């Protein structure tokens, strides 16, 4: 484990006891995430990618192995507010304005009033929603709502951003746009991002590291270091290099799944 | 205004039905009177008689309307709007017990719901009693509450309000338990990622999320409170209140008085529930939940 390691999992396992016997959501998962990495987790449903992310967030409790976040346990990391978590649904409160929604974690964490205002302004700029502070969620499109939820996760000083299929419910065009924006945001903020997805192009386009997972039991079958440059215009997705990485991801998924993916 | 025609049509149909029923129910007495006097009634005379008896089995709508006017508007015009014969006075007596019982019941209901949502022991131990409490007929328990409280020196408004509370806390408990549990698991997880305290989760997420459920419960609770207050007035010896008017009316066969008190009670309930509906509309609209 180098000094730059932000998240480190060693032989991590999580077994749910159900009426039909134990379910191995994660089995012997080991992974190191370095500071500033953009790591994507990809795999079919049931492969444990979301469970792994939830373990990092201390929303699930591993039954075996060790997991450290920022050098501490996941629980301590959560309590020290080390990460921002973006869920699949934006989950904005309808009774709060966009600004009020972004202020919510800041109020909970006890930031000073004027600091809250400054931070809301700053993150709204970051996600390109300046001027929408006083609007209510229902006045925004789905893509804009998801951007507001990303802004909310960025508002407090967490170096880690955990994202669980944040664009899964959005259409292709909006998704492309948000992917591009997310890369710019990552570039500007220098955060470490863990990103769960089931889209191969999305994973390859965004990541510095792609973690391919497979189900029953949930495990890592391949970890691919991306050779793509940090600056990535959308049309990089048609270059041979991109297609080669995508091919490797697909191979990994197929290998882990037996045959058909 | 598009709704006006159908609404008026229904109203007219109900009135017609009421008048017809008055004829049918009161005809026997009119016939008996005529026989005793040795006369026979023509149909128009019979109908006119059934609609203008002093103590009809079913008073006609205009008789009830006139009685209500005489005991409300007319008395106000004479400057005796709050005399002990005025329905406004009796409505006020009933309303004050209803309102106090409603406030107490709502407070008790919300407190119990919070306990049930946050504490498994309370959930397991209190909920069965809450449900059992509502299976006991209120008419059976109301006199006992009055008698017991009277024995310890509490009389007047509070015993009636207790009966109102007894009826109105139940819908609030059931609604608020559902409402406080209404946030999605994702929203609760989100609070956890921010390491929010239980109090912060309650005030910022659970309580606002429960508002639509609360207002629905409050409407049911308000109507139940009014029923409770009226029932509470029955065993007190019929001194004042709409319940007392109902009881006095039935003692003396004053059906017109009974019906006017009933309609006054229904109007009071409609106004109170309507007020809650108004607050609900404004609140939920402002909260973006309507």
């Amino acid at each position: 484990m180098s000094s730059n390691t932000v998240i480190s999992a060693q032989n991590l396992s999580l077994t749910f006891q159900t009426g039909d016997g134990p379910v191995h959501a994660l089995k012997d998962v080991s992974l190191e995430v370095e500071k500033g990495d953009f790591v994507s987790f990809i795999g079919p449903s049931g492969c444990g990618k979301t469970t792994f992310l939830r373990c990092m967030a201390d929303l699930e409790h591993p039954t075996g192995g060790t997991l450290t976040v920022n050098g501490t346990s996941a629980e301590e990391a959560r309590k020290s507010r080390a990460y921002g978590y973006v869920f699949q649904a934006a989950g904005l409160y309808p009774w709060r304005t966009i600004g009020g929604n972004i202020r919510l974690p800041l109020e909970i964490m006890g930031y000073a009033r004027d600091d809250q205002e400054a931070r809301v302004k700053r993150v709204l700029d970051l996600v390109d929603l300046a001027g929408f502070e006083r609007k209510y969620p229902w006045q925004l499109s789905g893509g804009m709502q998801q951007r507001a939820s990303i802004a909310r996760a960025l508002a407090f000083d967490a170096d880690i951003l955990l994202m669980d299929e944040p664009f899964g419910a959005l259409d292709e065009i909006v998704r492309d746009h948000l992917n591009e924006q997310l890369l710019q945001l990552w570039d500007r903020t220098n955060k470490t991002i863990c990103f769960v997805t089931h889209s191969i192009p999305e994973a390859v386009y965004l990541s510095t590291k792609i973690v391919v997972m497979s189900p029953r039991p949930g495990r890592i079958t391949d970890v691919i270091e991306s050779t793509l440059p940090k600056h990535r215009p959308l049309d990089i997705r048609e270059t041979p290099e991109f297609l080669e990485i995508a091919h490797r991801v697909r191979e990994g998924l197929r290998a882990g799944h037996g045959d058909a993916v | 205004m598009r709704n006006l025609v159908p609404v008026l049509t229904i109203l007219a149909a109900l009135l017609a039905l009421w008048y017809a029923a008055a004829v049918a129910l009161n005809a026997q007495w009119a016939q008996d009177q005529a026989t005793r006097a040795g006369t026979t009634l023509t149909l128009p005379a019979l109908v006119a008689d059934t609609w203008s008896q002093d103590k009809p089995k079913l008073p006609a709508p205009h008789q009830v309307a006139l009685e209500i006017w005489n005991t409300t508007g007319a008395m106000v015009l004479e400057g005796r709007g709050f005399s002990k014969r005025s329905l406004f006075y009796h409505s006020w007596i009933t309303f004050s017990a209803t309102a106090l019982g409603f406030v107490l019941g709502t407070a008790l209901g919300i407190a119990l719901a919070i306990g049930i949502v946050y504490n498994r022991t309370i959930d397991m131990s209190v909920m069965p009693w809450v449900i059992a409490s509502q299976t006991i007929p209120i008419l059976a328990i109301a006199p006992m509450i009055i008698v017991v409280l009277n024995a310890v020196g509490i009389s007047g408004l509070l015993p009636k309000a207790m009966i109102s509370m007894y009826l109105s806390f139940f819908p609030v408990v059931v609604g608020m338990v559902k409402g406080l549990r209404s946030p999605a698991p994702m929203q609760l997880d989100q609070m956890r990622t921010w390491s929010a305290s239980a109090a912060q989760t309650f005030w910022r997420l659970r309580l606002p999320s429960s508002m639509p459920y609360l207002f629905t419960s409050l409407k049911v609770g308000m109507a139940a409170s009014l029923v409770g207050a009226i029932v509470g007035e029955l065993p007190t010896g019929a001194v004042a209140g709409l319940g007392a008017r109902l009881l006095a009316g039935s003692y003396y066969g004053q059906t017109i008085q009974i019906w006017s008190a009933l309609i006054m009670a229904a109007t009071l309930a409609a106004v109170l529930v309507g007020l809650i509906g108004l607050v609900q509309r404004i609140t939920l609209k402002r909260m973006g939940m309507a």
Side-chain angles (χ1 to χ4, degrees):
Chain A
M1 184 159 101
S2 79
S3 62
N4 264 343
T5 303
V6 175
I7 295 165
S8 166
Q10 297 297 329
N11 303 319
L12 201 69
S13 296
L14 174 54
T15 308
F16 292 111
Q17 297 299 338
T18 71
D20 300 334
V23 171
H24 300 283
L26 290 174
K27 195 166 167 60
D28 289 331
V29 169
S30 299
L31 184 76
E32 305 263 295
V33 176
E34 305 281 306
K35 186 163 174 44
D37 265 352
F38 196 127
V39 184
S40 280
F41 297 84
I42 189 167
S45 49
C47 72
K49 52 192 193 297
T50 294
T51 308
F52 191 19
L53 200 72
R54 287 173 64 85
C55 285
M56 296 176 198
D58 188 39
L59 295 174
E60 301 286 355
H61 304 290
T63 46
T66 57
L67 175 67
T68 61
V69 178
N70 276 351
T72 64
S73 73
E75 189 186 1
E76 281 170 63
R78 175 176 66 78
K79 285 186 173 154
S80 64
R81 284 126 178 182
Y83 65 84
Y85 200 105
V86 180
F87 292 84
Q88 181 163 10
L92 300 172
Y93 293 6
W95 57 88
R96 282 176 170 250
T97 59
I98 297 303
N101 269 288
I102 295 171
R103 216 175 292 120
L104 179 62
L106 301 177
E107 286 171 13
I108 287 171
M109 296 174 192
Y111 283 81
R113 196 115 195 110
D114 42 342
D115 191 18
Q116 290 181 16
E117 295 308 317
R119 281 166 184 271
V120 168
K121 289 253 175 333
R122 200 186 69 214
V123 292
L124 278 174
D125 271 341
L126 267 178
V127 298
D128 219 1
L129 278 178
F132 285 90
E133 187 177 345
R134 292 183 180 284
K135 292 270 189 280
Y136 281 87
W138 56 270
Q139 294 171 301
L140 271 61
S141 69
M144 288 162 98
Q145 290 188 22
Q146 196 52 278
R147 259 148 61 197
S149 92
I150 293 171
R152 184 177 51 188
L154 292 170
F156 49 98
D157 292 316
D159 294 331
I160 307 168
L161 201 52
L162 304 176
M163 306 179 87
D164 184 8
E165 297 191 38
F167 309 139
L170 302 174
D171 69 60
E172 198 76 25
I173 298 163
V174 177
R175 199 172 179 154
D176 278 354
H177 184 59
L178 290 184
N179 279 342
E180 212 176 359
Q181 282 192 323
L182 181 59
L183 270 188
Q184 289 166 7
L185 197 143
W186 170 64
D187 192 28
R188 261 183 289 169
T189 56
N190 209 22
K191 304 232 182 224
T192 308
I193 301 183
C194 292
F195 188 96
V196 168
T197 179
H198 50 239
S199 155
I200 296 173
E202 190 171 65
V204 178
Y205 177 67
L206 292 172
S207 319
T208 56
K209 192 187 260 187
I210 302 158
V211 178
V212 183
M213 298 182 72
S214 78
R216 284 177 297 274
R219 64 194 187 280
I220 294 175
T221 47
D222 198 3
V223 178
I224 303 163
E225 300 281 345
S226 178
T227 51
L228 295 176
K230 191 158 186 179
H231 177 70
R232 299 172 187 181
L234 269 179
D235 51 18
I236 202 170
R237 296 183 300 185
E238 274 124 60
T239 61
E241 207 178 353
F242 183 97
L243 296 174
E244 199 189 305
I245 300 171
H247 179 73
R248 206 180 139 190
V249 174
R250 192 167 286 114
E251 288 293 304
L253 286 172
R254 192 167 296 159
H257 205 256
D259 41 19
V261 172
Chain B
M1 283 298 106
R2 245 179 318 136
N3 295 331
L4 199 63
V5 173
V7 168
L8 287 179
T9 309
I10 301 266
L11 189 65
L14 283 175
L15 283 175
L17 202 65
W18 189 346
Y19 273 111
V23 172
L25 286 166
N26 302 335
Q28 186 63 50
W29 197 78
Q31 295 282 22
D32 290 349
Q33 288 297 98
T35 317
R36 216 164 291 162
T39 55
T40 48
L41 286 170
T42 60
L43 188 63
L46 175 71
V47 170
D49 186 271
T50 57
W51 289 349
S52 60
Q53 292 169 4
D54 267 349
K55 294 183 176 182
K57 288 201 176 71
L58 178 66
H62 68 268
Q63 291 179 289
V64 177
L66 186 68
E67 166 75 10
I68 290 177
W69 170 251
N70 284 338
T71 48
T72 56
M75 300 188 81
V76 173
L77 291 182
E78 292 168 27
R80 303 191 293 127
F82 221 69
S83 91
K84 291 202 169 178
R85 283 181 37 86
S86 154
L87 269 186
F88 283 140
Y89 167 76
H90 294 285
S91 298
W92 166 254
I93 297 291
T94 303
F95 167 76
S96 51
T98 303
L100 181 60
F102 174 75
V103 170
L104 291 175
T106 303
L108 176 66
I110 292 176
L112 280 177
I114 292 171
I116 286 167
V117 167
Y118 277 93
N119 188 311
R120 209 175 139 65
T121 315
I122 295 183
D123 185 9
M124 309 268 287
S125 58
V126 170
M127 204 55 183
W129 288 102
V130 168
I131 292 166
S133 76
Q134 301 301 305
T135 62
I136 301 165
I138 189 65
L139 271 172
I141 207 165
M144 292 194 278
I145 293 178
I146 303 277
V147 166
V148 167
L149 287 179
N150 205 33
V152 295
I154 301 171
S155 60
L157 185 65
L158 201 57
K160 289 193 285 174
M162 297 294 278
I163 295 165
S164 283
M165 179 183 83
Y166 185 90
L167 286 186
S168 66
F169 87 99
F170 181 70
V172 177
V173 173
V174 175
M176 280 305 275
V177 165
K178 182 114 176 100
L180 292 173
R181 283 182 179 155
S182 67
M186 185 272 257
Q187 289 178 300
L188 294 168
D189 278 347
Q190 193 175 52
M191 279 292 182
R192 209 172 131 77
T193 67
W194 297 328
S195 188
S197 69
Q200 286 170 331
T201 306
F202 176 78
W203 289 109
R204 288 183 167 78
L205 176 60
R206 285 193 192 266
L207 192 65
S209 303
S210 71
M211 282 304 127
Y213 298 86
L214 175 65
F215 280 110
T216 309
S217 301
L218 289 185
K219 284 186 185 169
V220 182
M222 181 59 97
S225 278
L226 185 68
V227 171
I230 289 174
V231 169
E233 282 161 356
L234 297 180
T236 53
V239 186
L242 291 174
R245 291 287 281 193
L246 289 174
L247 197 62
S250 70
Y251 279 162
Y252 304 112
Q254 297 286 355
T255 45
I256 300 177
Q257 183 187 321
I258 295 176
W259 278 85
S260 60
L262 275 180
I263 286 182
M264 203 63 191
T267 309
L268 185 59
V271 169
L272 293 176
V273 172
L275 274 177
I276 295 175
L278 192 69
V279 178
Q280 173 183 34
R281 275 237 298 282
I282 296 169
T283 311
L284 294 190
K285 204 176 168 69
R286 286 196 57 164
M287 288 178 72
M289 294 169 95

